[in-house]
Amino acid sequence: MIYLDYNATTPLCESGREAMLPYLYEHFGNASSVHAAGREARSAIDDARDELAAFLDAKPHELIFTASGTEANNLAVLGLARASAARGRHLICSATEHHAVLHSFEYLAKNGFDVTWLRVDRNGIADLDQLAAAIRNDTTLVSVMSANNETGVLQPLAEVSSICRAHGVLLHSDMVQSFGKTNADLSLVDAASFAAHKFYGPKGAGFLYLRSGIPIEPILFGGAHENQRRPGTENVAAIAGMAAAAEWMMEKRGLEQKREATLRDQLWDSITAVAPDAQLNGSAEHRLANTLNVSFSGVSSETMLMALDLEGVCASSGSACMVGSVVASHVLLAMGFSRERASSAIRFSLGRQTTAEEIESAAAAIARVLTRVRRSQPQPVYAAG
Ligand SMILES: Cc1ncc(COP(=O)(O)O)c(C=O)c1O
């Protein structure tokens, strides 16, 4: 199997696994308990919080542990919008956000808030002029992700941040895809979301960075955990594993990014050699080193993914596939691409375990699949949604 879907999830690194094991067995206490077993668990959580905060140049109490990147995004969007509602009910969200952010804003739009959707250009980059013009007296929150999960496109967060700061508007950024791949500069934002399984940590663990002093309303109700901001018994093992994985991810970060970018570009060169009509989706320049999003014209994402799977290559599409039809990626549609192009996109995302041999084999598999599929494929049916 050749795994080229690291933006979907990554395997747990060895040090992450080691860090988790003691808290699954002998140190199983509840971190809220006052006895020795509880104190052990509490101290593991405190250590993890200190380590993660140090990597990010944040203060430990600015991190709120959650059970996923989705939850961190939901907490940021709903929690910040509601806590600022007395000041205003206008919000701005970029059109290419992950559904965990997009759907949170859509929910607010149906519940008394006014949302402006921020356009992106054909490279996938947010329209800064529109942002500056859209901010009103009652705008309280802007959300712009640092790196897109489908295309890898990096947003100009420094510019977005200075516009927000100039108008006194809070800025949240979904940094789930960029942690350990770019510099997560928290000085630019007021809140940022992270997920452990995107950086070789366990699934089911994430956190929200929230700058000191910014009020947030909880979205879950229960105990007083996480400074009354996120109730629920902490997943101690996952939190310990997440901190260890973050450390591992930070090591050799620069070299690894160069290596992955070289392999990614080799894959692109091999693809264009056999499919000169292949189209690169997203800015080639402002992009994560590990991500390649390509449209193969006339071949639906679903057909291509299934054929690649049979060849042992795991890739992905941003679009939701349903039986007999393809729903085009909202990210690619927002970039102004046709439904046909948006429904024939494949995302290859590389990671620490990707080798040059794998890239060569994947390229050969893509060539075989394209020849076969283009010879035999009936025209795909594109859904209206
Ligand atoms: C950019 C981005 N945000 C949020 C998420 C959701 O994270 P999780 O899978 O931990 O819920 C993902 C996962 O695909 C993502 O890529």
Side-chain angles (χ1 to χ4, degrees):
M1 184 179 88
I2 300 173
Y3 186 80
L4 295 177
D5 202 12
Y6 284 81
N7 285 11
T9 198
T10 58
L12 183 62
C13 64
E14 186 53 34
S15 56
R17 193 182 81 93
E18 297 275 305
M20 292 176 76
L21 287 177
Y23 302 99
L24 295 171
Y25 300 108
E26 62 266 41
H27 304 310
F28 60 86
N30 182 325
S32 298
S33 301
V34 291
H35 46 62
R39 284 197 302 276
E40 258 162 3
R42 168 62 46 209
S43 122
I45 293 175
D46 289 345
D47 289 349
R49 200 187 305 276
D50 289 348
E51 284 164 33
L52 286 164
F55 290 135
L56 291 165
D57 234 347
K59 300 182 190 87
H61 68 267
E62 293 178 318
L63 306 192
I64 306 170
F65 289 127
T66 62
S68 63
T70 296
E71 190 196 327
N73 278 329
N74 279 225
L75 175 59
V77 176
L78 302 180
L80 291 173
R82 286 171 181 161
S84 315
R87 282 196 294 114
R89 289 183 161 258
H90 178 236
L91 315 166
I92 301 176
C93 173
S94 113
T96 56
E97 293 297 308
H98 186 273
H99 283 144
V101 170
L102 213 60
H103 290 170
S104 300
F105 278 96
E106 282 170 1
Y107 174 80
L108 289 173
K110 286 191 203 123
N111 288 277
F113 288 82
D114 184 13
V115 178
T116 297
W117 301 102
L118 189 57
R119 287 187 300 266
V120 298
D121 64 15
R122 278 180 87 79
N123 284 322
I125 309 233
D127 182 337
L128 298 175
D129 292 335
Q130 191 206 352
L131 174 62
I135 294 180
R136 318 187 306 216
N137 286 341
D138 61 342
T139 309
T140 55
L141 175 66
V142 170
S143 187
V144 175
M145 70 203 317
S146 52
N148 186 270
N149 44 299
E150 292 184 28
T151 57
V153 168
L154 302 170
Q155 295 296 345
L157 265 198
E159 286 84 347
V160 171
S161 172
S162 61
I163 294 170
C164 292
R165 292 266 152 88
H167 293 85
V169 174
L170 294 177
L171 174 60
H172 162 255
S173 185
D174 177 345
M175 295 193 174
V176 163
Q177 286 293 344
S178 56
F179 182 82
K181 300 180 192 165
T182 64
N183 286 333
D185 185 356
L186 294 184
S187 71
L188 298 175
V189 300
D190 301 295
S193 312
F194 299 88
H197 74 108
K198 308 289 186 181
F199 56 85
Y200 305 85
K203 290 163 186 63
F207 62 94
L208 178 69
Y209 159 79
L210 180 66
R211 180 177 302 289
S212 281
I214 295 182
I216 193 163
E217 281 198 10
I219 57 168
L220 298 174
F221 299 93
H225 311 79
E226 298 297 300
N227 267 332
Q228 323 233 17
R229 297 173 299 185
R230 196 278 185 181
T233 300
E234 297 90 341
N235 186 346
V236 185
I239 290 170
M242 172 159 67
E247 182 179 5
W248 183 81
M249 187 71 178
M250 289 297 182
E251 284 167 14
K252 302 196 197 127
R253 189 160 55 116
L255 281 178
E256 178 58 20
Q257 294 315 300
K258 282 203 190 95
R259 191 187 76 87
E260 288 177 21
T262 305
L263 292 179
R264 178 201 61 190
D265 294 344
Q266 275 166 15
L267 183 60
W268 173 238
D269 290 345
S270 316
I271 287 173
T272 49
V274 295
D277 59 343
Q279 291 163 306
L280 178 68
N281 296 320
S283 165
E285 194 189 341
H286 302 290
R287 191 171 37 141
L288 289 174
N290 77 323
T291 308
L292 176 63
N293 189 306
V294 190
S295 284
F296 296 98
S297 66
V299 184
S300 77
S301 313
E302 189 187 25
T303 303
M304 188 73 190
L305 283 180
M306 283 180 342
L308 284 174
D309 189 30
L310 288 174
E311 292 272 350
V313 177
C314 302
S316 157
S317 78
S319 42
C321 295
M322 288 186 267
V323 183
S325 68
V326 177
V327 178
S329 148
H330 73 281
V331 173
L332 300 185
L333 289 178
M335 287 161 67
F337 297 143
S338 66
R339 194 162 290 280
E340 198 275 332
R341 178 164 173 178
S343 309
S344 59
I346 300 292
R347 176 188 71 190
F348 300 100
S349 49
L350 286 60
R352 293 270 168 129
Q353 277 93 345
T354 307
T355 63
E357 294 71 38
E358 282 184 324
I359 291 299
E360 227 172 89
S361 307
I366 293 166
R368 280 195 299 277
V369 162
L370 276 177
T371 313
R372 207 166 53 234
V373 167
R374 282 193 161 150
R375 226 187 288 132
S376 63
Q377 188 195 283
Q379 284 309 297
V381 179
Y382 296 109

